[in-house]
Structures are given as structure tokens and as C-alpha cells.
Amino acid sequence: MLYVVGIGPGGLEMMTAEARAAIEAADVIVGYKTYTHLVKALVGDKPVIKTGMCKEIERCQVALEIAQSGQTVALISSGDAGIYGMAGLILEMVTKQTWHVEVKVVPGMTASIAAGAALGAPLMHDFCHISLSDLLTPWSVIAKRINAAAAADFVICFYNPRSRGREGHLRHAFELMSPYKAPDTPVGVVKEAGRRKETKWLTTLAAMDFERVDMRTMVIVGNQSTYVEQGLMITPRGYTL
Amino acid sequence: MLYVVGIGPGGLEMMTAEARAAIEAADVIVGYKTYTHLVKALVGDKPVIKTGMCKEIERCQVALEIAQSGQTVALISSGDAGIYGMAGLILEMVTKQTWHVEVKVVPGMTASIAAGAALGAPLMHDFCHISLSDLLTPWSVIAKRINAAAAADFVICFYNPRSRGREGHLRHAFELMSPYKAPDTPVGVVKEAGRRKETKWLTTLAAMDFERVDMRTMVIVGNQSTYVEQGLMITPRGYTL
């Protein structure tokens, strides 16, 4: 049995009961080393197989091999396993290759939701997730989505906003939005959302400081109704008060 | 103290530890009647104030009044309180009116994530949430977003897909997507995602049966890479196997 577990942003308080139960039921834990560290309190003496960044296929292979041998495995992703996590790759491998493993995807809280709650209520109207990682997606596709989402006034959550090798992507994304979103459009930034070291700040489309953003940062750009009041970022749903 | 609590889709197993703790800490529970029923197991003998559908402002007012009187209140939303839930309205009232209440938004798992896990891994690439409710949003805005999201090949999650008074909206949404998404684009439908009565099925853009959809249904439309295999709906991230 292989549980593909979304552990949420990191702290045990934002983990679901189901995710916790899956980790507790597992004989072996497999995951990227930062994430295995986050669930240490639940793991006890169980074997933990840690793999490095960008080793996704290898990590899934290891998890499937152990599960196929008869053990119960929890393959953990931060956030939700089905949102830029491990669930897709595992299911691709299971459906395209000859594994005999039962898989259950255990959903978790994704970073945009945790960041949204920390900022106030920026996601109260239609929003989208866009990953700025062009490791697996051509930049032209990403750019097209940024354009479309900005033109149609979506709130936009940027995943993987910045990392070594793509320092300029977030700045480029902001340039793409600027014909459609006003310079004073509120932007909420949350680093390590839902973790102990969480930090956050509010800025605007025009005043954005790209240097403060890293890979573990969630950037949420408002729509044309989003406002900031008393330090809270709020996107109205449309009620008349 | 007022906790605005996202209880997740409904079952206790998809609730976070933090949401559970907030409900347990509360003196009074306030919520739409269906949702208060879902958390009955946690509430015990505490007073529960249930309000009807479309009474959002009244519900928030009641919650704020009780919190201002010194009691701890848990105002509950299904899914995430910050996604088409009660968090936005509460923060709008607190920042625009003269309430003296401390508010904490407690995030929860939204329906798209629970539905995604039930279907497989349809949300592995950029996706958006669009609500088809035009009670508070002009249909022209909704239509523009559907168009833009389909043209830029987002996976699309439809919230509030159908209810009395707007039976035709989902069909109209599918018509708007049809110039951009192929007729055989996979569509996953989950009714009561994450609840005991959960039912789900897979169909395509062309074969969609709109009559089977109600207000508690999540409809997820794939992107051009999404496929169905062994009953699972999978959107590849782009790994080469």
C-alpha cells in the first residue's frame, strides 16, 4: 500500500487527521529531505528514506518498490500531494508501467490557502495557481497563462516564484501583468507559510521587491477589487455592507 | 475572540488539527445549518446558532456580536473559510465598521483539493477556481474568466456549478470552453467530495451530463495534457518516464 500524503505547509496543526493517520500507519516514510524533517514528530523510529531535490522519479521509484514488496509506504509531499506534488508522477508511473501497488492520494492544505489565511482573505474571488518553474514547462506557456489570468482579473498565486537559475522570472511575470493590473494592486508575500518561521508582508505591483522572494515564498497578487486595510489583504466577494 | 474556521469538506478526517482545536476552544458555534451538522461530533453541548442560506451578513453580524460580548466564537465555513467562504465578509465588516473583535482565520481544505484527490491527480499543473454563482458577480465577468482560462489551457475547477435559478450556467460555461478545449478533454465530477456520501464519475467536455450536477458538486475540466487511465484523471506535470 502506498499513501501519497500531502502533509500541508509543515506544522502539525495544519495537517489533516487523515494525513497523520497515513504517516502513523506506514512502515516506511519516503520524501524530500526537508519534508521528512517536518514530520519527524510523527515518524518515531521508522525508516525514513530521504532523497534530494530534482530526484522526483527516483523518489517515486523507491516508494513503489518498497510498497510492491508488501510494506506500507507514506510518500510525503509538502502542501497537497496533487498540486505540483508527487501524486501525479506516482499515478503516471502506476498507470503506464507494470507496478502492482495500491495507491491512495491523501490530500493536504496547499501553500496558497495557508498564505491566504495569514494575509487576511485575498482568495475570496476567482483565483489561479501558476508555477514559475520552467524546468518542465516552456516559459511561453507560463507567460500565456500569466497574461490571460491578469487580463481576466483573476487573483493570482505564484508557486515556485524564484530560485537559482531563474532569478528573473517573477520580475518578468510582474511586467506581463502590468498592462492589466494597476500599479497599486495589492500583493501579499508569505515566506514559509504555515511554518514556525513564517514571515509575511504586503506591497503593491509597482513596489514589489523581487530580491526578498525565494523558492519557499508564496506571492499572491490581488484583483481589481482587492484592498488592504488594517494590515489585512481582502478581496471582496461582492456583498453590500 | 472570533475564529473563522474552514472545516474542510465535511468529514473529520480531512479537518486540520487547528480547525478542530478552534471548534473545541469556542463557547459558541455559528454557521449555516448544513455545516454545523457536519461538526456535531466536536460540538457537544455548546450552543449552536444556525442560520439559513443567503443569510451571510446576518450570520457574520451574530458571530461578531457574540465575540464582542467576550465569548469565543467559531464561525464555520465548509472547505476553506477564505475561498468563497465567510473570512472575507468578516474581515470586511471588521475593517469597515466599528467592531472590537480579534479575528483569526483558520484555513481548511477546499473542495477542489478533496475532489482532485478522489479523481486521481487532475490539479498537477496550473489551475484556476471559477464560481458560476452570479448572485454577486455579473455573468459577463464570469464568462470573461472562463474564456481566458480555457484559452490559456488552465485546468478549471467550477465552484457553485448549478442551483435553482441558474440551471443553464454550467452548460453555458462548457460552450464557452469548446473553442479552446477538445471535445474529448477529460472532466471529473465529484458530488459531496470528502463526505460520506461522496460519488464521482469521469466524462468529457462533449459528453457532460449537466442534469447530474448540483450545488454541492465540484466539476474539474482538464487541460490539453490531461488523460484518463485505469479510472484515474491525471494531468502530467511534464516528467519524461
Side-chain angles (χ1 to χ4, degrees):
Chain A
M1 179 76 199
L2 171 56
Y3 294 106
V4 189
V5 183
I7 62 169
L12 293 184
E13 64 285 358
M14 286 197 200
M15 193 181 289
T16 68
E18 192 185 15
R20 195 181 171 119
I23 292 169
E24 286 168 350
D27 303 310
V28 181
I29 313 295
V30 179
Y32 172 48
K33 48 184 184 261
T34 308
Y35 307 152
T36 56
H37 183 78
L38 291 170
V39 298
K40 222 167 55 179
L42 297 181
V43 167
D45 293 335
K46 290 175 192 176
V48 176
I49 297 170
K50 303 167 196 175
T51 60
M53 210 161 65
C54 300
K55 298 284 184 194
E56 289 84 2
I57 292 176
E58 188 186 283
R59 194 181 307 148
C60 289
Q61 194 118 15
V62 168
L64 285 164
E65 277 166 12
I66 302 171
Q68 194 163 258
S69 80
Q71 291 194 284
T72 296
V73 178
L75 172 63
I76 61 175
S77 278
S78 80
D80 178 46
I83 297 180
Y84 311 119
M86 289 293 105
L89 187 51
I90 283 286
L91 294 182
E92 282 193 79
M93 290 170 79
V94 164
T95 54
K96 288 184 176 164
Q97 300 172 344
T98 53
W99 297 97
H100 300 284
V101 175
E102 192 187 344
V103 177
K104 181 163 170 48
V105 179
V106 179
M109 189 178 310
T110 190
S112 62
I113 298 184
L119 293 166
L123 307 180
M124 281 299 298
H125 218 302
D126 303 336
F127 71 93
C128 60
H129 286 178
I130 299 177
S131 167
L132 294 185
S133 168
D134 61 353
L135 288 175
L136 299 167
T137 305
W139 178 256
S140 60
V141 171
I142 300 170
K144 189 177 177 184
R145 289 181 182 158
I146 296 167
N147 241 295
D153 200 31
F154 279 96
V155 174
I156 305 178
C157 306
F158 288 108
Y159 280 69
N160 308 314
R162 197 162 187 268
S163 67
R164 223 173 293 171
R166 48 179 186 278
E167 282 82 4
H169 283 16
L170 187 61
R171 182 187 299 274
H172 195 169
F174 272 55
E175 286 163 6
L176 289 169
M177 291 186 290
S178 67
Y180 309 106
K181 290 188 184 274
D184 63 349
T185 301
V187 176
V189 187
V190 187
K191 236 176 203 176
E192 310 247 17
R195 298 186 189 163
R196 247 177 314 172
K197 290 188 204 161
E198 179 182 285
T199 51
K200 58 185 172 181
W201 61 93
L202 293 166
T203 179
T204 63
L205 202 72
M208 181 71 187
D209 178 358
F210 303 101
E211 298 304 314
R212 291 179 72 186
V213 170
D214 65 15
M215 203 62 182
R216 284 165 300 187
T217 307
M218 173 60 48
V219 177
I220 301 181
V221 180
N223 70 15
Q224 64 183 23
S225 309
T226 305
Y227 65 93
V228 169
E229 186 81 51
Q230 299 175 23
L232 297 164
M233 181 176 177
I234 301 168
T235 301
R237 181 86 191 272
Y239 295 102
T240 309
L241 291 181
Chain B
M1 181 75 200
L2 171 55
Y3 294 106
V4 189
V5 183
I7 62 168
L12 293 184
E13 65 285 357
M14 285 196 201
M15 194 180 289
T16 67
E18 192 185 14
R20 194 179 173 122
I23 293 168
E24 285 167 352
D27 302 310
V28 181
I29 313 295
V30 179
Y32 172 48
K33 50 185 184 263
T34 308
Y35 306 151
T36 56
H37 183 78
L38 291 170
V39 297
K40 223 168 54 180
L42 298 181
V43 168
D45 292 336
K46 292 176 191 174
V48 176
I49 298 171
K50 303 169 197 175
T51 60
M53 208 161 66
C54 300
K55 298 284 184 195
E56 289 85 2
I57 293 177
E58 189 187 280
R59 194 180 308 147
C60 290
Q61 194 118 15
V62 167
L64 285 164
E65 277 165 11
I66 302 170
Q68 194 163 256
S69 79
Q71 292 195 284
T72 297
V73 179
L75 172 62
I76 61 175
S77 277
S78 79
D80 177 46
I83 298 179
Y84 311 119
M86 288 292 106
L89 188 51
I90 282 287
L91 294 182
E92 283 193 78
M93 291 170 79
V94 164
T95 54
K96 289 184 175 164
Q97 300 171 346
T98 54
W99 297 97
H100 300 285
V101 175
E102 192 188 343
V103 177
K104 181 163 169 48
V105 179
V106 179
M109 187 177 310
T110 190
S112 62
I113 298 183
L119 293 167
L123 307 180
M124 281 299 299
H125 218 301
D126 304 335
F127 70 93
C128 61
H129 285 176
I130 300 176
S131 166
L132 295 185
S133 168
D134 61 354
L135 288 174
L136 300 168
T137 306
W139 178 256
S140 61
V141 171
I142 300 170
K144 189 178 177 183
R145 289 182 182 156
I146 295 166
N147 241 292
D153 200 31
F154 280 95
V155 174
I156 306 178
C157 306
F158 288 108
Y159 280 69
N160 307 314
R162 196 160 188 269
S163 66
R164 224 172 293 169
R166 49 177 184 280
E167 282 82 4
H169 282 16
L170 187 61
R171 182 187 299 274
H172 194 169
F174 272 56
E175 285 163 7
L176 289 170
M177 291 186 290
S178 68
Y180 309 105
K181 289 186 183 278
D184 61 351
T185 301
V187 176
V189 187
V190 186
K191 238 177 202 176
E192 310 247 17
R195 299 186 188 162
R196 244 176 318 172
K197 288 187 204 163
E198 178 183 285
T199 52
K200 59 184 173 181
W201 62 94
L202 294 165
T203 179
T204 63
L205 202 72
M208 181 72 186
D209 179 357
F210 303 100
E211 299 304 314
R212 291 178 73 185
V213 170
D214 64 17
M215 202 62 181
R216 285 166 299 188
T217 306
M218 173 59 50
V219 177
I220 300 181
V221 180
N223 70 15
Q224 67 182 20
S225 309
T226 305
Y227 65 92
V228 169
E229 187 80 51
Q230 298 175 24
L232 297 164
M233 181 176 177
I234 300 168
T235 300
R237 180 87 191 272
Y239 296 101
T240 308
L241 291 181

